[in-house]
């Protein structure tokens, strides 16, 4: 009886293995058939589409890409213009922050002038504030043009009037400065208004 059970058990294993092998083969065949069907379906629409439909699809894709690029560029322009406005609005903030100490010094000088009996310390205080103010501006790149006695240069000076030169060597040279000129980082921000000799 034990032998019979062993034989039945072996037969059952064999049948089970056979069924599993058949199922695997069926699954593989189904997968192959489905892949072939998918490939046929993918190629079939391409064959069925006319040349006009293909070109219209390509045109639609190109128009979509163009619209997206245009929108991105428009957003870029808006963002950069907004950043530029913010930069312009806050550009002077660092310099003005440095000048606040000078403003405080001027307030103290004005208060001291109101009660001052002796004018000499007030003059010295004003000179100190003036020197501090000029030093801050120089550190920011501002330079005063010293043009008295130099040959007139229209790139840096603006002639207000011409007067007879006191000597021959002062002809076409700056005799007097009506309004000082300034450069900021070697760029003229205000031309010197001068009187020249003729």
């Amino acid at each position: 009886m034990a032998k019979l059970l062993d034989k039945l058990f072996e037969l059952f294993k064999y049948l089970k293995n056979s069924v599993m092998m058949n199922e695997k083969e069926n699954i593989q065949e189904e997968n192959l058939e489905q892949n072939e069907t998918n490939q046929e379906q993918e190629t079939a629409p391409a064959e069925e589409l006319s040349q006009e439909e293909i070109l219209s699809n390509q045109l639609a894709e190109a128009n979509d890409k163009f619209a997206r690029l245009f929108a991105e560029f428009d957003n870029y322009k808006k963002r950069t213009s907004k950043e530029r406005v913010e930069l312009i609005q806050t550009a002077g903030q660092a310099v003005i922050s440095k000048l606040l100490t000078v403003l405080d010094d001027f307030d103290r000088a004005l208060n001291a002038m109101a009660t001052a009996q002796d004018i000499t310390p007030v003059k010295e205080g004003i000179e100190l504030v003036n020197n501090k103010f000029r030093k801050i501006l120089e550190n920011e790149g501002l330079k005063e043009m010293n043009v008295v006695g130099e040959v007139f240069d229209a790139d840096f000076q603006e002639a207000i009037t011409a007067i007879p030169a006191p000597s021959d060597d002062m002809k076409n040279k700056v005799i007097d400065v009506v309004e000082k000129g300034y450069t900021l980082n070697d760029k003229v921000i205000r031309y010197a208004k001068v009187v020249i000799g003729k």
Side-chain angles (χ1 to χ4, degrees), residues 94-95 98-102 130-142:
V95 175
K98 292 175 184 176
L99 292 177
L100 289 177
T101 59
V102 176
N130 181 42
N131 290 337
K132 183 177 185 180
F133 180 66
R134 289 180 182 278
K135 188 68 176 171
I136 289 172
L137 292 176
E138 283 175 14
N139 289 338
E140 293 300 317
L142 186 74

Side-chain angles (χ1 to χ4, degrees), residues 10 22 39 50 64 68-69 124 126 135 147-149 159 184:
E10 285 179 23
N22 283 340
Q39 288 176 354
S50 69
D64 184 53
R68 290 175 191 270
L69 283 173
E124 290 173 0
I126 295 295
K135 188 68 176 171
V147 295
V148 175
L184 181 63

Side-chain angles (χ1 to χ4, degrees), residues 7-181:
K7 292 275 185 184
L8 282 173
F9 186 68
E10 285 179 23
L11 181 64
F12 180 72
K13 273 171 112 184
Y14 174 76
L15 288 173
K16 182 179 173 186
N17 286 339
S18 297
V19 168
M20 289 178 73
M21 293 290 278
N22 283 340
E23 284 181 12
K24 285 182 183 177
E25 287 176 4
N26 287 341
I27 290 171
Q28 286 176 349
E29 287 177 9
E30 286 175 10
N31 286 342
L32 285 173
E33 287 176 9
Q34 191 167 2
N35 286 343
E36 288 174 3
T37 306
N38 288 342
Q39 288 176 354
E40 288 174 6
Q41 288 175 351
E42 289 173 4
T43 56
E47 293 171 0
E48 292 175 8
L49 292 177
S50 69
Q51 189 69 19
E52 290 177 9
E53 291 172 335
I54 293 171
L55 290 175
S56 65
N57 288 342
Q58 290 175 348
L59 178 63
E61 288 177 22
N63 283 340
D64 184 53
K65 286 180 183 178
F66 173 75
R68 290 175 191 270
L69 283 173
F70 185 78
E72 286 178 25
F73 181 70
D74 192 44
N75 290 339
Y76 168 77
K77 280 181 12 183
K78 288 177 184 175
R79 186 174 56 249
T80 54
S81 66
K82 180 181 176 185
E83 289 171 356
R84 187 180 309 122
V85 167
E86 289 174 358
L87 181 65
I88 289 169
Q89 288 175 345
T90 60
Q93 181 177 354
V95 175
I96 290 173
S97 297
K98 292 175 184 176
L99 292 177
L100 289 177
T101 59
V102 176
L103 189 62
D104 294 338
D105 290 343
F106 272 122
D107 289 339
R108 283 190 281 275
L110 290 172
N111 289 337
M113 282 192 322
T115 60
Q117 300 296 326
D118 188 13
I119 197 157
T120 307
V122 174
K123 281 184 177 179
E124 290 173 0
I126 295 295
E127 285 177 10
L128 288 173
V129 174
N130 181 42
N131 290 337
K132 183 177 185 180
F133 180 66
R134 289 180 182 278
K135 188 68 176 171
I136 289 172
L137 292 176
E138 283 175 14
N139 289 338
E140 293 300 317
L142 186 74
K143 290 183 184 172
E144 184 180 312
M145 293 182 199
N146 295 320
V147 295
V148 175
E150 293 184 10
V151 176
F152 176 75
D153 185 356
D155 290 336
F156 297 100
Q157 299 135 19
E158 181 180 331
I160 299 297
T161 186
I163 61 171
S167 61
D168 287 340
D169 64 331
M170 289 300 287
K171 286 186 177 181
N172 292 328
K173 289 189 178 180
V174 177
I175 295 174
D176 190 22
V177 177
V178 177
E179 189 175 83
K180 293 179 181 178

